[in-house]
Amino acid sequence: MTTLEGRPHTALLVVDVQNGVVEGAHERDAVVANIGRLVAKARRETVPVIWVQHSDADLVPESDGWRIVPELTPGGTEPLVGKNYGDSFEDTALETVLSGLGIGRLVVVGAQTDQCIRSTLHGALVRGYDAVLVADAHTTEDQTAWGAPPPAQVIAHTNLYWTYQTAPGRTAGTVATEDVDFGATP
């Protein structure tokens, strides 16, 4: 259903699953395990896995905090897109990578729910992509000290509103890890 011409393929987009991003995240181990299962499934089904890696003053390239978590290893031919903003499309090579692979549908996982995940989902949808969020494969840290709801509520709210997100000619939605179908729309 994507509005992007000639882009019938799906990719798994793994956003910012880095040591310094998820070290204190809600249900970190379960989320990383779910992402690992999806990466393995995508690889078995020859679905492209695209990795996004954030850099900023706290996530300095080549530092331990900047590295992808040890439980997940990008494959040698899997694209790795560096970014400096919440939206994985903003000032990055992501669109070029996706276009080159004929990708029009993204299955999105990673961190942080209330920052880079939301920004990337909206960025994808407004650029013409179908964007599916894996409901149990994204996480965030506790930011209640700054007035945010607890992480479980942030995640639940994001899942709720993305389930009903729409745009002309595009699909959105959520799905559980066990129900991900890289060939089907939500």
Side-chain angles (χ1 to χ4, degrees), residues 16-88:
D16 300 350
V17 188
Q18 298 162 251
N19 291 321
V21 177
V22 300
E23 67 188 340
H26 179 71
E27 297 186 0
R28 178 233 186 257
D29 294 343
V31 169
V32 169
N34 285 343
I35 294 168
R37 282 192 281 284
L38 289 167
V39 167
K41 177 181 174 130
R43 289 173 177 162
R44 278 192 312 274
E45 296 180 13
T46 63
V47 169
V49 178
I50 300 167
W51 301 82
V52 177
Q53 191 170 23
H54 192 83
S55 298
D56 62 23
D58 296 321
L59 295 169
V60 177
E62 305 306 322
S63 70
D64 186 56
W66 173 82
R67 286 181 174 67
I68 304 292
V69 297
E71 299 94 325
L72 302 174
T73 304
T77 61
E78 293 170 349
L80 180 61
V81 176
K83 73 175 181 66
N84 301 107
Y85 301 99
D87 180 350
S88 297

